[in-house]
Amino acid sequence: MTSLPYRDKPSDSNHGRGDEDDEEEEEVDATSYKHDKDAVLFAIDVSESMLTKPAETDEKKPDASLSPTVAALKCAYALMQQRIISNPNDMMGILLFGTEKSRFQDGDAETGRGGLQYPHCYLLTDLDVPAAADVKQLRTLVEDEEEAANLLVASKEEVSMANMLFCANQIFTTKAPNFSSRRLFLVTDNDYPHTSSRDARNSAAVRAKDLYDLGVTIELFPISHPDRGYTFDRSKFYNDIVYSATPSDPDAPAPLAADIKPASSTARDGISLLQSLLSSVASRSAPRRALISNLPFEIGPGLKISVKCFILLKRQEPKRTTYVYLPPDSDKAQIAVGSSTLVADDTARSVEKTEVRTAYKFGGETISFTEEEIAKIKNFGDPVLRVIGFKPLSMLPVWANLQPATYCYPSEDEFVGSTRVFSALHQKLLKDQKMGLAWFIARKNARPTLAAIIPGAESRNEEGEQEVPPGLWIKPLPFADDIRQAPETNLVPAPDTLTDAMRVIVQQLQLPKAIYDPRKYPNPSLQWFYRILQALALEEDLPEKAEDKTLPRWKQIHKRAGPYVVEWGSVLDEQYLVWQRDNDKQIKPQVNGAAKRTKAEPASAGAKAKKVKKEDDEDGVTDAEMRDAYTKDALIQFKVVDLKGWLQGKGQKTMGKKKDLMDAVIAFFETKMDVT
């Protein structure tokens, strides 16, 4: 089992907490957590061959006519745009090497110091959190040919690879010293630099080893030129520079971020590799942190291990950073700090926090509790996941779903050997298709729930990459109080001929491999929001239409299933006439959305139809309507006749005025909640 990332601070998520806003949180030990941030530095070669455009171009692919250097800058520009939204705390930088100009820090171009420190190395964008100004500067360089021609000038002298790597070392050391993921993206077409100097090649290997010791991963993006008969050969030089991250080299630092794939040793085109880094999904990635740390997992008497729980699926929404306001005398937005004050309803005086008590209604009266009393009422013991039995997975109903399931993974922090016990339990449950039933208290003072412990198998894609990790899923189960009354339905089963006709349509409209892959369908509203946000921040033209990949492809659907749908409609009409003739009935919709079978009435029976309608109107208030009114404290909307009729149907007293009848309804719901 692979290791999992840790959080760097207590989770701010309310997942699984319900309305527990006033519960006390347990103290969290943050000493073992790491800052899960990523720092990426592009090192792009600016040589004569890298600046030469391909001889053969395709008009349908405008990016194919760009020189490798400009194409790499364009990929870096697109990646920077995505990172501002998806990973706003990550850093990015761009270092050009092999340029005529030299610059390491701001002002070096004027003083000439950059040329003395690192000749022919030009730090285009310093390693930092990308700002809108950095994106604009890079966009200008990519789109303005005059600006690119002024800067992208290859040096006549060969650049020292050792100097370039040492320059990258200084950038990572000063700008991102405590980042857990630091990566150098090296884009070049020169597979054998320093051909005549072995000492220079050895010096570069030493500098690469220094980066390796610093924890920096070097990712190589080799550029080949098939139109010139040139193929990049890693074995000449870069096998000594780029350390493998395969199991054969377990000490090599593996990249933590999953959005960047390591460059393949068999890849021929580095630009294609760079473009594969880009994703059409622009959404803020949720922090990878533990929801529950070191939760005791009691499998049996005297057998206890510890687990950590994570959220693997969470709905993403645009998050507001802060509130701002525009002062009347300035165009610059100012941060607005919010504050709230409790006031008395009758005197409008400020109420102190110590005076506030929690109150609940019962029998028409208000019962209040102190914080200490509420804490005692809610306390059901320490946090624990305690197994109380095992059942077949087939016994878990599909509808028993109150909250998203939580993924849990073993932790060795509290109990040594937890991983081996957890693995044995996981494999046994998975093999026998069993689930565990558990008593689950997520945190201190949290509500206890019954939960199903479901084994999850590992899932990998065609490239062998892990999509879903192996582990156990904790799925909260509903109590009897959580189950609502289902509406009355009277369905008509479809005949076999109609079902067979629909089967063909379903087969024609199946998704590829009959699997829904959420990675292919970005949230259109979220994408539209961030696209507008990006256009305003970068002063771009506002888009006219949102890209929605969830829209059905009507032409393709019509081509594949159109005739079958028309045929199914004909079969439906025929079967409906047969059913109507055999049953002499029709479907009559009711007020609550259910369907009711009634005898078919002739068109001339107008008087009888009116009588049926009158009888329907005199049915009175339904239990669902009365319960809804009680929940919303809106019983006053009913007439006295309605209240008396409903109470009489429940065997309750119907004496008194309207207020007495409302109190009787309230008392009924508070004492007899099993209304059916």
Side-chain angles (χ1 to χ4, degrees), residues 179-191:
F179 277 43
S180 57
S181 174
R182 291 177 286 185
R183 293 176 287 177
L184 176 65
F185 288 178
L186 184 57
V187 186
T188 181
D189 65 346
N190 187 4
D191 60 0

Side-chain angles (χ1 to χ4, degrees), residues 643-655 660-661 663-669 671-672 675:
L643 295 173
K644 285 187 176 181
W646 189 85
L647 288 170
Q648 187 175 5
K650 302 302 175 186
Q652 304 296 314
K653 295 181 180 180
T654 58
M655 302 295 293
D660 300 327
L661 298 176
D663 292 340
V665 173
I666 294 174
F668 180 88
F669 278 111
T671 56
K672 299 181 181 180
V675 179

Side-chain angles (χ1 to χ4, degrees), residues 114-323:
L116 297 176
Q117 288 181 298
Y118 306 103
H120 308 300
C121 292
Y122 192 94
L123 186 59
L124 179 64
T125 304
D126 203 356
L127 186 65
D128 204 345
V129 176
D134 299 327
V135 181
K136 292 179 184 178
Q137 178 190 4
L138 189 54
R139 181 184 62 191
T140 303
L141 182 62
V142 171
E143 297 178 353
D144 191 345
E145 294 184 359
E146 184 178 349
E147 181 73 18
N150 184 34
L151 177 60
L152 303 179
V153 179
S155 64
K156 298 178 182 178
E157 301 175 1
E158 185 179 13
V159 64
S160 170
M161 294 298 296
N163 267 349
M164 187 275 293
L165 294 173
F166 185 60
C167 179
N169 191 317
Q170 292 296 309
I171 294 171
F172 280 116
T173 303
T174 56
K175 295 295 183 179
N178 297 322
F179 277 43
S180 57
S181 174
R182 291 177 286 185
R183 293 176 287 177
L184 176 65
F185 288 178
L186 184 57
V187 186
T188 181
D189 65 346
N190 187 4
D191 60 0
Y192 197 42
H194 310 303
T195 307
S196 59
S197 177
R198 184 174 182 179
D199 292 339
R201 295 196 301 272
N202 291 338
S203 178
V206 172
R207 294 302 185 188
K209 181 65 166 59
D210 293 341
L211 285 171
Y212 166 81
D213 294 336
L214 190 64
V216 177
T217 303
I218 301 178
E219 297 286 356
L220 177 65
F221 295 90
I223 305 297
S224 298
H225 302 287
D227 54 337
R228 308 174 203 170
Y230 170 75
T231 303
F232 194 97
D233 187 1
R234 297 167 58 107
S235 62
K236 292 182 179 179
F237 174 73
Y238 282 98
N239 281 349
D240 296 330
I241 300 296
V242 180
Y243 286 82
S244 172
T246 59
S248 60
D249 185 12
D251 296 329
L256 292 185
D259 60 336
I260 305 295
K261 300 178 182 179
S264 171
S265 60
T266 59
R268 301 298 182 187
D269 186 6
I271 297 300
S272 298
L273 282 172
L274 279 173
Q275 291 174 344
S276 68
L277 309 180
L278 307 179
S279 169
S280 60
V281 179
S283 58
R284 179 169 297 184
S285 62
R288 293 171 290 181
R289 53 180 66 158
L291 174 68
I292 308 170
S293 298
N294 299 327
L295 176 70
F297 184 12
E298 294 184 10
I299 303 176
L303 180 58
K304 183 186 296 185
I305 62 176
S306 61
V307 295
K308 289 185 177 182
C309 300
F310 298 84
I311 301 176
L312 298 189
L313 297 173
K314 187 177 187 298
R315 178 177 177 81
Q316 290 297 297
E317 298 175 352
K319 294 185 179 180
R320 171 189 53 81
T321 304
T322 184
Y323 285 113

Side-chain angles (χ1 to χ4, degrees), residues 329-371:
D329 56 345
S330 175
D331 294 336
K332 186 178 181 180
Q334 303 291 332
I335 296 179
V337 180
S339 61
S340 60
T341 304
L342 296 175
V343 296
D345 187 26
D346 51 354
T347 61
R349 72 174 184 87
S350 299
V351 179
E352 299 296 332
K353 187 177 180 180
T354 54
E355 302 178 68
V356 178
R357 296 165 64 95
T358 304
Y360 298 90
K361 282 188 176 181
F362 185 84
E365 297 183 5
T366 302
I367 311 299
S368 62
F369 300 92
T370 62
E371 292 185 2

